[in-house]
């Protein structure tokens, strides 16, 4: 290895390469090293291996190189101590690990030699290396600190003997050298003219092609592709094509820079980048855009299936966006609006599945009972299958909490094969939540309906409007009024959201509303929906639901298995009747979860316990039973009658108590937190009895010398409604006549001053309450017979219904003879 101390090699680099790109040194002095190398002899032994990721090394070129990493410095010491030869190949990734030798590299590389060290220091790292010949790596040995490789020669095919090929190659090289001037000058600053003259005067075609390939601004994979070309002619052709492409791009960049510079004033330098992009799009023939964002929006718009009106609105708003400064707030607002339009599924529908048997299986799998609702969904599927384009109905499932109204929507969506979205309307009091905000407001956004459609990704999802009865109104508007358009099949084909300001078709959306009560829903809104009552479950149904759904779900959520805890039907029945007070199964689910937590604790602590939960263990698991009042209290007391009431959590039995005490003119006292309607029922009942005292065998003197007290227990709970009318009459008559009430009967019905018995609502819930309390006979209006006929026989089993038209029939059946015990 030679080291010329008299030559200042650093002077040869007196120009500034951009991005620290090394420049080859094409000097005749390097030719001696090419001539003296016996490649075949050198390659007979393994050589040190240098993987690099900053450049591609070519043969017949001398390159400056800095050895930086510990591995590189170790290799440098190894090379200096021997003959100076080593193998260089480019890595396939720019990521280096701690040991550079383990980086994955290309198999095609170059045999190199260390020929100059550009420093007098012992640990010099700046050197010049010379590419001798192209090689192909055969094997790699990483067992030592320095990686060694075995390589074979991979010489270039030049065709010097073929005159035609040689002439063609000279022409190619001439064009390459001409095109390379602009590219190399753009890549490096202040290149000495001597370097170019040495290249152009060289008679070695391999040297000239490799020099240009090394100096031009091509990416490393492209340079590696050039290196691997076996034929020099093919390499030259490929290099010429890349140079032509790069020069065209360079010309466009310069033209863009020149065009933009003419239109930019001194105080508008911040817009320089935007103008450049504008010029690029002008060259590509893209209209209306000033940056890639606008181009992307325009491309996406061409893929949408919207109508002509929507397309015109989008084009107009896109043109407006093009005139905004990207740094202004209006730009972000306008861009967000256009993005919302693109995100909506315009005329994009999911295909409905018309497999009725599959739909029935899904509905039965997820919900036990609820036959009426299931039948309605199957009917809808059948009609949809026949008509194909049926407008989706607006269903309203109403009933007490916890009976599965919301989860029904998810099952319906699965049975139809549609997307499912839930919108919670509880507490919504701003009309803009439904119709959206106008874009003039800060933070404007679409309404919840449009956001749900956007989330679903199709224009025909199943949308559950949860808790529609909890919608309220204030000074910001009435959301119920905004829902009128949404829930009207004749209007919602052109729903207008204030934000998107374009009509959107909602007629294919299957809306399912849920509510606990209909009393707070406006009449116009009720008129637009098909009401389906979801009644509470009887004890037998709750047991079945617990076994099929609740217990398996809680086992999974608490990490338990069926073999670790078992709950029998009798224990479930006790939990239902004494630890829950509901029509649904939500509280039952919580109680089962409480048992699972206690069992999980015992399992982890390895405490002994009964796998099958016993009745006498419920107190340990769930505490003292909080409910026991829904039990028939017998007929041992005069003036006590069992009535039936409806509440938001289902049906209940209700006790009406009447008593007489000395006083004047039968003054009436009412206690028990009664509402106005219930107070009126008491007054009507008393006045009816006073006017019919003789028929009822009541001494008129009793009214003159006594006062009447009517009490409904549990005064902390508000009570109202007309359905206790006949119960109050029976209670008062029992108090005046001292006749006991028949055992295990209950009654419900409204009374008039003429003694007529009128029908009431909530019949099914009241029957469930009666069954829980052990009632055997129920008295109700004849007009309620139709309600009983619609109820499944399972609900009414064990109860005898007595249909009455006037109060006298009630008293004849309910009251026992005077001396009967």
């Amino acid at each position: 290895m030679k080291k010329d101390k008299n030559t200042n090699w650093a002077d040869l680099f007196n120009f500034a390469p951009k991005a620290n790109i090394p420049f080859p040194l094409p000097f005749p002095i390097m030719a001696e090293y090419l001539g003296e190398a016996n490649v075949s002899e050198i390659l007979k032994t393994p050589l040190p291996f240098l993987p690099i990721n900053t450049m591609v090394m070519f043969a017949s070129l001398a390159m400056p190189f800095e050895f930086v990493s510990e591995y590189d410095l170790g290799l440098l010491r190894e090379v200096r101590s021997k003959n100076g030869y080593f193998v260089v190949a480019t890595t396939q990734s720019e990521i280096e690990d701690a040991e550079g030798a383990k980086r994955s590299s290309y198999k095609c590389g170059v045999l190199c030699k260390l020929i100059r060290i550009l420093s007098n220091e012992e640990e010099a790292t700046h050197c010049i290396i010379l590419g001798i010949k192209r090689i192909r790596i055969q094997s790699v040995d990483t067992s030592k600190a320095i990686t060694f490789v075995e390589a074979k020669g991979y010489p270039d095919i030049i065709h010097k003997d073929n005159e035609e090929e040689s002439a063609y190659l000279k022409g190619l090289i001439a064009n390459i050298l001409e095109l390379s001037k602009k590219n190399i000058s753009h890549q490096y600053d202040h290149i000495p003219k001597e370097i170019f003259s040495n290249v152009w005067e060289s008679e070695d075609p391999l040297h000239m092609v490799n020099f240009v390939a090394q100096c031009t601004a091509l990416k490393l994979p492209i340079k590696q592709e050039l290196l691997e070309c076996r034929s020099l002619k093919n390499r030259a052709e490929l290099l010429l094509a890349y140079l032509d492409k790069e020069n065209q791009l360079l010309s466009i960049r310069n033209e863009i820079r020149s065009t933009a510079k003419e239109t930019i004033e001194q105080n508008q330098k911040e817009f320089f980048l935007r103008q450049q992009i504008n010029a690029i799009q002008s060259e590509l023939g893209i209209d209306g855009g000033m940056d890639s964002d606008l181009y992307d929006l325009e491309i996406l718009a061409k893929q949408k299936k919207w109508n002509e009106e929507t397309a015109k609105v989008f084009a107009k708003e896109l043109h407006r966006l093009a005139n905004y400064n990207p740094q202004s707030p209006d730009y972000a607002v306008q861009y967000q609006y256009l993005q919302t339009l693109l995100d909506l599924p315009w005329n994009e529908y999911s295909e409905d599945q018309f497999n009725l048997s599959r739909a029935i299986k899904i509905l039965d799998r997820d919900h036990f009972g609820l036959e009426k609702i299931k039948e309605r969904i199957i009917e809808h599927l059948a009609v949809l299958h026949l008509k194909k384009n049926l407008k989706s109905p607006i269903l309203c499932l109403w009933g007490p909490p916890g009976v599965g109204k919301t989860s029904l929507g998810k099952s319906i969506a699965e049975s139809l094969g549609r997307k499912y979205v839930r919108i919670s309307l509880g507490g919504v009091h701003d009309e803009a939540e439904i119709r959206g905000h106008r874009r003039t407001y800060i933070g404007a956004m679409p309404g919840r309906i449009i956001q749900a459609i956007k989330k679903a990704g199709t224009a025909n999802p199943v949308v559950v409007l949860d808790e529609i009865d909890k919608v309220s109104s204030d000074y910001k508007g009435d959301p119920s009024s905004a829902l009128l358009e949404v829930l009207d099949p004749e209007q919602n084909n052109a729903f207008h959201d204030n934000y998107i300001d374009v009509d959107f078709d909602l007629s294919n959306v299957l809306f399912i509303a849920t509510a606990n009560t209909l009393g707070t829903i406006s009449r116009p809104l009720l008129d637009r929906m098909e009401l389906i009552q979801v009644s509470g479950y009887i004890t037998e149904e709750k047991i079945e639901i617990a076994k099929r759904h609740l217990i398996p779900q809680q086992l999974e959520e608490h990490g338990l298995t069926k073999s670790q805890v078992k709950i029998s039907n009798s224990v479930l029945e006790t939990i239902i009747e004494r630890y829950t007070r509901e029509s649904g199964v939500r509280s039952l689910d919580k109680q089962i979860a409480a048992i699972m937590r206690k069992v999980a604790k015992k399992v982890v602590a390895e405490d002994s316990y009964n796998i099958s939960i016993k009745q006498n263990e419920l107190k340990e698991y769930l505490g003292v039973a909080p409910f026991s009042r829904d039990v028939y209290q017998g007929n041992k007391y005069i003036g006590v009658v069992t009535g039936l009431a409806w509440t938001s959590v289902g049906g209940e039995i209700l006790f009406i108590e009447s008593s007489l005490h000395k006083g004047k003119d039968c003054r009436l006292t009412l206690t028990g937190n009664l509402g106005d309607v219930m107070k009126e029922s008491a007054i009507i009942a008393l006045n009816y009895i006073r006017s019919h005292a003789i028929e009822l065998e009541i001494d008129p003197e009793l009214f003159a010398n006594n006062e009447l007290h009517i009490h409904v227990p549990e005064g902390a709970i508000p009570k109202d409604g007309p359905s206790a009318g006949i119960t109050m009459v029976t209670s008062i008559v029992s108090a005046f006549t001292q006749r006991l009430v028949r055992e295990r009967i209950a009654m419900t019905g409204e009374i008039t001053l003429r003694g007529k018995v009128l029908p009431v609502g909530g019949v099914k819930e009241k029957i469930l309450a009666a069954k829980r309390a052990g009632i055997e006979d129920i008295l109700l209006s004849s007009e309620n017979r139709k309600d009983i006929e619609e109820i499944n026989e399972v609900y009414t089993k064990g109860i005898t219904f007595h249909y009455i038209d006037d109060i006298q029939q009630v008293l004849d059946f309910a009251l026992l003879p005077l001396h009967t015990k």
Side-chain angles (χ1 to χ4, degrees):
M1 180 169 43
K2 299 180 180 180
K3 183 177 179 182
D4 190 349
K5 297 182 179 180
N6 298 322
T7 304
N8 189 3
W9 289 91
D11 293 340
L12 299 175
F13 300 96
N14 192 21
F15 57 92
K18 296 181 180 178
N20 297 321
I21 304 171
F23 193 86
L25 305 175
F27 297 105
I29 193 172
M30 301 301 160
E32 62 180 281
Y33 295 98
L34 294 173
E36 72 181 19
N38 188 342
V39 176
S40 300
E41 192 66 27
I42 295 170
L43 294 178
K44 286 183 178 180
T45 59
L47 296 172
F49 174 59
L50 177 63
I52 56 176
N53 61 5
T54 57
M55 68 175 183
V56 175
M57 188 69 188
F58 285 88
S60 189
L61 292 182
M63 298 291 296
F65 190 83
E66 182 179 6
F67 292 84
V68 179
S69 69
E70 289 296 327
Y71 178 87
D72 293 348
L73 294 174
L75 182 138
L76 179 60
R77 288 189 292 269
E78 175 74 19
V79 170
R80 292 179 66 178
S81 65
K82 297 193 177 174
N83 57 7
Y85 291 101
F86 59 100
V87 172
V88 174
T90 304
T91 59
Q92 298 185 37
S93 172
E94 294 184 2
I95 300 175
E96 289 189 39
D97 53 18
E99 297 177 328
K102 292 185 178 181
R103 291 174 291 176
S104 176
S105 63
Y106 292 102
K107 294 299 183 182
C108 183
V110 175
L111 173 65
C112 296
K113 183 174 183 179
L114 178 67
I115 61 173
R116 287 289 186 272
I117 298 176
L118 303 178
S119 174
N120 294 326
E121 299 176 4
E122 186 66 26
E123 289 295 328
T125 60
H126 290 80
C127 305
I128 294 179
I129 61 176
L130 175 66
I132 306 295
K133 289 290 183 182
R134 195 175 59 157
I135 54 88
R136 179 168 291 277
I137 298 173
Q138 300 296 313
S139 63
V140 180
D141 180 11
T142 59
S143 61
K144 301 178 182 178
I146 303 300
T147 300
F148 284 81
V149 297
E150 292 184 358
K152 295 182 66 175
Y154 195 51
D156 297 283
I157 301 175
I158 301 178
H159 300 291
K160 287 185 177 181
D161 299 333
N162 190 322
E163 293 184 3
E164 184 177 347
E165 290 279 353
S166 180
Y168 177 71
L169 183 59
K170 288 181 180 179
L172 278 176
I173 293 174
N175 286 318
I176 288 172
L177 293 175
E178 186 63 31
L179 287 176
S180 69
K181 290 181 181 179
K182 182 188 293 187
N183 193 291
I184 295 176
S185 297
H186 179 75
Q187 183 83 340
Y188 301 89
D189 292 333
H190 312 299
I191 300 178
K193 295 181 180 179
E194 293 79 9
I195 292 179
F196 282 114
S197 63
N198 285 335
V199 175
W200 294 331
E201 291 175 1
S202 173
E203 296 182 357
D204 185 359
L206 179 64
H207 172 76
M208 290 187 284
V209 172
N210 288 352
F211 174 85
V212 176
Q214 181 64 259
C215 296
T216 49
L218 299 176
K219 294 182 179 179
L220 293 186
I222 295 176
K223 289 187 177 183
Q224 181 67 28
E225 182 184 1
L226 293 172
L227 175 65
E228 294 183 2
C229 283
R230 187 78 183 271
S231 169
L232 185 62
K233 182 190 74 171
N234 294 342
R235 186 183 304 169
E237 291 174 341
L238 188 60
L239 177 59
L240 182 63
Y242 280 129
L243 280 174
D244 186 53
K245 181 180 178 180
E246 286 291 324
N247 284 349
Q248 289 182 20
L249 292 174
L250 188 61
S251 298
I252 292 174
R253 290 194 194 102
N254 292 334
E255 186 176 346
I256 291 170
R257 191 176 290 112
S258 176
T259 304
K261 186 176 180 180
E262 294 176 359
T263 59
I264 297 176
E265 298 179 357
Q266 186 65 27
N267 60 347
Q268 294 178 323
K269 289 183 180 180
E270 60 195 32
F271 300 115
F272 178 76
L273 181 60
R274 179 168 62 89
Q275 293 294 334
Q276 280 190 317
I277 297 174
N278 215 11
I280 291 174
Q281 292 186 334
S282 178
E283 287 289 332
L284 295 175
I286 302 173
D287 297 329
M290 73 166 115
D291 58 20
S292 59
D293 290 340
L294 299 186
Y295 175 67
D296 292 341
L297 292 177
E298 189 172 9
I299 293 299
L300 292 173
K302 294 178 180 179
Q303 302 172 5
K304 303 303 291 184
K305 300 177 183 178
W306 48 34
N307 54 34
E308 184 178 352
E309 177 187 357
T310 308
K312 288 181 180 179
V313 171
F314 184 87
K316 178 181 177 182
E317 298 297 333
L318 186 65
H319 180 71
R320 180 182 297 177
L321 178 65
N323 296 323
Y324 286 152
N325 178 358
Q327 308 302 322
S328 70
D330 291 339
Y331 183 90
V333 172
Q334 187 72 1
Y335 182 84
Q336 182 64 37
Y337 168 70
L338 294 174
Q339 191 64 55
T340 300
L341 287 181
L342 290 172
D343 289 342
L344 287 174
W346 301 89
N347 297 319
E348 298 176 13
Y349 304 103
S350 59
E351 186 176 353
D352 286 328
Q353 299 180 11
F354 301 114
N355 191 331
L356 294 184
S357 60
R358 174 180 175 274
I360 293 173
K361 287 181 180 178
I362 291 174
L363 293 173
D364 288 340
R365 179 199 67 192
D366 296 340
H367 296 84
F368 183 79
L370 307 179
E371 302 302 331
K372 188 176 180 181
I373 297 95
K374 296 177 183 177
E375 182 181 357
R376 178 64 185 86
I377 299 304
I378 298 304
E379 290 172 355
H380 174 71
L381 276 174
V383 177
L384 190 63
H385 178 60
L386 294 175
K387 198 168 183 293
K388 305 299 183 185
N389 61 348
L390 175 68
K391 286 187 177 180
S392 293
I394 312 299
L395 305 179
C396 180
L397 308 177
W398 72 279
V403 293
K405 300 184 298 295
T406 304
S407 59
L408 259 172
K410 186 176 294 185
S411 299
I412 292 171
E414 184 180 353
S415 63
L416 288 170
R418 295 190 181 187
K419 296 290 186 180
Y420 166 80
V421 185
R422 174 180 168 270
I423 301 175
S424 178
L425 296 179
V428 172
H429 54 82
D430 187 356
E431 181 186 350
E433 291 281 346
I434 306 299
R435 287 192 177 276
H437 306 78
R438 297 198 178 276
R439 282 182 287 144
T440 53
Y441 297 104
I442 296 176
M445 62 179 66
R448 295 195 180 193
I449 304 298
I450 292 299
Q451 289 185 38
I453 301 298
K454 174 183 172 183
K455 180 181 178 181
T458 62
N460 62 336
V462 173
V463 177
V464 173
L465 303 174
D466 213 7
E467 308 289 358
I468 197 171
D469 57 323
K470 306 299 190 299
V471 172
S472 59
S473 60
D474 60 7
Y475 67 94
K476 297 179 181 178
D478 185 5
S480 297
S481 300
L483 285 170
L484 294 178
E485 181 184 2
V486 176
L487 300 181
D488 191 344
E490 300 300 325
Q491 297 182 36
N492 63 9
N493 61 336
F495 173 68
H496 191 86
D497 184 277
N498 292 328
Y499 181 81
I500 65 174
D501 205 22
V502 180
D503 291 342
F504 193 89
D505 186 5
L506 298 178
S507 61
N508 293 288
V509 178
L510 177 55
F511 287 102
I512 300 176
T514 70
N516 296 133
T517 178
L518 303 180
T520 57
I521 304 177
S522 64
R523 292 301 307 176
L525 193 56
L526 278 176
D527 187 55
R528 285 163 167 77
M529 298 186 292
E530 179 180 341
L531 302 177
I532 300 178
Q533 185 177 6
V534 185
S535 302
Y537 299 109
I538 62 174
T539 301
E540 290 78 6
E541 287 180 326
K542 291 182 180 180
I543 292 174
E544 199 64 31
I545 292 171
K547 290 168 59 180
R548 294 188 182 188
H549 304 286
L550 304 184
I551 293 177
Q553 179 182 344
Q554 292 299 338
L555 284 172
E556 181 180 353
E557 291 184 0
H558 290 83
L560 299 171
T561 62
K562 294 180 180 179
S563 61
Q564 291 176 308
V565 58
K566 296 179 181 179
I567 305 177
S568 64
N569 289 6
S570 60
V571 173
L572 284 172
E573 184 176 355
T574 303
I575 296 173
I576 292 167
E577 293 181 350
R578 303 198 61 193
Y579 287 88
T580 66
R581 181 188 170 197
E582 59 176 350
S583 292
V585 292
R586 193 166 288 153
S587 295
L588 175 59
D589 190 35
K590 294 177 182 177
Q591 298 299 332
I592 294 174
I595 293 176
M596 297 301 174
R597 289 194 298 272
K598 294 287 195 304
V599 172
K601 177 183 175 182
K602 291 178 181 292
V603 171
V604 175
E606 298 183 354
D607 295 338
S608 61
Y609 69 98
N610 290 324
I611 295 176
S612 296
I613 307 298
K614 307 297 183 183
Q615 291 275 3
N616 55 10
E617 294 177 327
L618 286 179
K619 186 176 181 180
E620 175 190 350
Y621 285 101
L622 302 177
V624 178
F627 305 114
S628 61
R629 67 180 187 82
D630 281 354
V631 176
Y632 177 68
Q633 297 180 359
N635 66 335
K636 298 179 181 180
Y637 304 97
I638 298 294
V640 178
V641 183
T642 305
L644 298 174
W646 181 92
T647 69
S648 61
V649 294
E652 294 181 357
I653 62 172
L654 191 69
F655 299 102
I656 306 293
E657 302 176 351
S658 298
S659 66
L660 297 176
H661 57 276
K662 292 296 181 179
K664 291 184 179 182
D665 201 25
C666 200
R667 188 172 61 182
L668 178 63
T669 302
L670 298 171
T671 56
N673 199 353
L674 308 183
D676 292 338
V677 176
M678 206 164 183
K679 290 178 181 178
E680 291 174 358
S681 295
I683 295 172
I684 293 171
L686 178 58
N687 289 337
Y688 172 82
I689 294 170
R690 296 185 70 169
S691 63
H692 295 80
I694 297 176
E695 293 109 348
L696 298 175
E697 299 180 356
I698 299 174
D699 186 357
E701 291 296 323
L702 292 175
F703 296 107
N705 301 322
N706 292 278
E707 292 182 3
L708 177 64
H709 184 179
I710 299 177
H711 175 65
V712 182
E714 298 190 33
I717 301 175
K719 310 168 192 71
D720 202 4
S723 63
I726 64 172
T727 313
M728 287 186 172
V729 171
T730 307
S731 177
I732 296 170
V733 172
S734 175
F736 274 103
T737 62
Q738 295 296 297
R739 295 165 63 184
L740 292 174
V741 179
R742 188 183 297 272
E743 287 189 1
R744 299 197 177 277
I745 71 166
M747 57 189 70
T748 180
E750 184 179 358
I751 188 177
T752 69
L753 279 174
R754 295 174 296 157
K756 295 294 183 183
V757 179
L758 302 181
V760 292
V763 174
K764 182 180 178 182
E765 284 78 8
K766 294 176 180 179
I767 293 174
L768 296 182
K771 283 180 70 71
R772 289 195 299 267
I775 300 297
E776 297 175 355
D777 295 277
I778 295 179
L779 285 75
L780 69 168
S781 172
S782 297
E783 295 184 34
N784 282 124
R785 185 189 296 269
K786 62 182 184 299
D787 299 315
I788 302 298
E789 291 174 351
E790 291 183 358
I791 300 175
N792 194 311
E793 292 183 1
V794 176
Y795 294 85
T796 61
K797 186 178 180 180
I799 296 179
T800 303
F801 295 96
H802 304 271
Y803 303 103
I804 38 88
D805 295 312
D806 60 70
I807 191 62
Q808 191 60 50
Q809 292 175 288
V810 177
L811 298 175
D812 290 343
F813 180 81
L815 296 179
L816 297 173
L818 182 59
H819 299 293
T820 302
K821 293 185 179 181

